[in-house]
């Protein structure tokens, strides 16, 4: 795993710049995924729920959203089993993010979740945290029944090497160079995404049980023309990110 | 899980009072366990190593010792497979401790371990952290092949309730009361240990695969007479711990 990737993480803690207090957009997207999760669980447990089920959320981060998807999955399983009078399976939750994620906070959230669950139900729920990149193997072959991920797959494994080699920044502050290179940049990132996403799918295919399900959400746009949607806000983000990236590169060189 | 138990953890960080810099004794004991681990792995893989193996360390804490036992187990598996020309299994490591353990440090140690391993071997090794008490279920039924634990099982699930009810402290600073109650205290702790250990074994029996192995080390003494071994050092610890416990109790009451 590239060491730079290892060190990425959302702002920890609870203060006003923390991810925990700046993730309403992500929460909205997670809520939109709930019907898809419900459908996937119905399909998985159609005949009978397996004796035990492993559920994995990729890119859980920390804070109030960390358990939203896995908790929704647990609810969907229990609702399904109750509706069809099936025996509820033992459930194992895996929460994944990069190694520098705030796992101490996730551990406390899990303890709280299990404590609340144990008081209201006798079903076995166990939980673990898996530090690592989802562009690597995270669990053993055929050991997970359901994988979900919300707003995480836009994080690539690395910036396209071809741009680094040609010293073309993701966002050039010089407008002339930016327009000149815009197609090269867009294509390089598209290729990197295709490569990463193909790897992601092949890794999950190894990890999922036969008939397992994968549900994820991802930002995207229908047209290949960046100007086809409002990009003004993203320009500001791009300028800031590019500036930060340049400072880090300079710090490495110094 | 009792909330007080949830909040127990070793001193995090790297400074001179940290667990990481005060755990030489624990390291020595872990090293003494290595031949036992080797034997257990030989027995587990006698005919053929399973396709994938899950290994769990209970009470891993954080710092340099956190991965010693699981790392020794990985080495033992690979040595065995090489010796008998068996296909090495995919290995899943689970590191467990209470939810307030410093899992952020453990996650970084795991990333480092996996990085070193990936450079030297093509075998699949994945790893997770399981926050929770080993007096509760930690993984799903029949999902773990090997469980190890070093110097952790002396941590009981709670202080004996009968002593709390009778307001008898673990160590009474008044010598007369202490001598008067010493047998009551020793018996109460022995009963609590028996209860906890029985629960521990029944939980692990559910979690281990058929033929799975459990190796652990535990402080003990051959005689039932506390004075039969040097207890002077422990007296000092007992006084300090009892004083701390009283302060916490008072803080709760206030």
């Amino acid at each position: 795993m590239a060491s730079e990737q290892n060190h990425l993480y959302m702002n920890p803690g609870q203060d006003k710049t923390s991810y925990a207090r700046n993730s309403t957009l992500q929460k909205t997207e997670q809520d939109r995924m709930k019907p898809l999760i419900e459908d996937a669980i119905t399909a998985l447990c159609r005949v009978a729920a397996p004796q035990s089920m492993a559920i994995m959320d990729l890119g859980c981060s920390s804070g109030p959203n960390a358990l939203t998807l896995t908790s929704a999955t647990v609810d969907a399983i229990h609702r399904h089993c109750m509706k069809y009078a099936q025996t509820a399976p033992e459930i194992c939750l895996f929460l994944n993010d990069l190694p520098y994620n705030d796992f101490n906070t996730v551990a406390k959230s899990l303890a709280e979740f299990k404590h609340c669950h144990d008081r209201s139900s006798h079903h076995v729920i166990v939980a673990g945290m898996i530090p690592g990149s989802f562009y690597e193997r995270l669990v053993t072959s055929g050991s997970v029944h359901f994988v979900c991920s919300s707003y995480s797959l836009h994080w690539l494994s690395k910036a396209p090497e071809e741009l680094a080699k040609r010293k073309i920044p993701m966002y050039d502050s010089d407008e002339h160079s930016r327009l000149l290179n815009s197609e090269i940049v867009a294509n390089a990132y598209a290729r990197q995404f295709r490569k990463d996403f193909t790897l992601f799918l092949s890794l999950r295919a190894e990890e999922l049980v036969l008939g397992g399900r994968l549900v994820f959400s991802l930002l995207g746009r229908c047209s290949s023309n960046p100007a086809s949607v409002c990009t003004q806000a993203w320009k500001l983000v791009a300028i800031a990110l590019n500036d930060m990236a340049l400072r880090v590169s300079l710090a490495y060189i110094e």
Side-chain angles (χ1 to χ4, degrees), chain A:
Chain A
M1 191 192 302
S3 59
E4 309 87 68
Q5 188 197 50
N6 256 341
H7 289 68
L8 288 172
Y9 55 90
M10 293 298 169
N11 243 5
Q14 294 288 333
D15 75 11
K16 64 178 181 177
T17 61
S18 67
Y19 175 77
R21 286 176 62 182
N22 291 277
S23 44
T24 323
L25 179 73
Q26 288 83 344
K27 174 78 173 76
T28 310
E29 189 50 41
Q30 286 181 323
D31 288 341
R32 282 179 56 198
M33 285 177 71
K34 288 181 180 174
L36 298 174
I37 291 175
E38 196 90 29
D39 290 350
I41 293 305
T42 305
L44 255 171
C45 305
R46 185 155 287 153
V47 185
Q51 203 169 355
S52 69
M53 281 179 81
I55 314 298
M56 180 158 65
D57 180 6
L58 304 176
C60 65
S61 189
S62 62
N65 295 348
L67 268 77
T68 306
L69 293 187
T70 43
S71 168
T73 310
V74 169
D75 290 346
I77 294 169
H78 287 161
R79 255 196 311 276
H80 177 92
C81 291
M82 194 169 282
K83 188 174 174 185
Y84 295 101
Q86 292 177 0
T87 306
E90 291 186 1
I91 300 175
C92 176
L93 308 177
F94 287 131
L95 296 176
N96 153 263
D97 213 309
L98 288 172
Y100 275 66
N101 183 48
D102 186 0
F103 284 109
N104 284 348
T105 300
V106 179
K108 288 163 202 159
S109 304
L110 278 176
E112 186 65 31
F113 174 77
K114 280 179 68 182
H115 182 64
C116 293
H117 179 269
D118 289 348
R119 279 192 308 190
S120 64
S121 160
H122 61 281
H123 302 307
V124 173
I125 296 190
V126 294
M129 307 177 294
I130 306 200
S133 161
F134 46 59
Y135 297 120
E136 293 176 349
R137 283 290 298 277
L138 296 169
V139 291
T140 51
S141 298
S143 64
V144 176
H145 296 75
F146 180 65
V147 173
C148 52
S149 182
S150 175
Y151 266 29
S152 295
L153 277 164
H154 52 274
W155 292 100
L156 302 180
S157 67
K158 58 184 173 187
E161 278 174 11
E162 58 200 275
L163 295 185
K165 272 183 197 155
R166 293 170 67 183
K167 295 196 189 337
I168 300 175
M170 181 263 295
Y171 185 89
D172 204 317
S173 50
D174 175 71
E175 192 168 358
H176 177 69
S177 306
R178 187 168 72 248
L179 290 174
L180 198 69
N181 291 327
S182 68
E183 207 173 317
I184 297 172
V185 170
N187 286 341
Y189 273 92
R191 269 194 297 277
Q192 186 64 47
F193 174 77
R194 207 168 296 130
K195 201 172 154 186
D196 282 345
F197 191 57
T198 306
L199 175 63
F200 174 89
L201 289 178
S202 69
L203 291 166
R204 300 298 85 79
E206 289 184 72
E207 294 171 347
L208 280 163
V209 299
L210 200 68
R213 303 274 157 162
L214 164 66
V215 170
F216 65 91
S217 70
L218 185 66
L219 274 171
R221 109 184 121 220
C222 300
S223 163
S224 61
N225 174 18
S228 67
V229 288
C230 169
T231 53
Q232 201 53 42
W234 295 115
K235 265 190 191 165
L236 286 170
V237 177
I239 293 167
L241 284 176
N242 194 52
D243 183 56
M244 284 163 70
L246 282 174
R247 287 181 199 210
V248 173
S249 309
L250 285 171
Y252 269 117
I253 292 163
E254 281 163 5

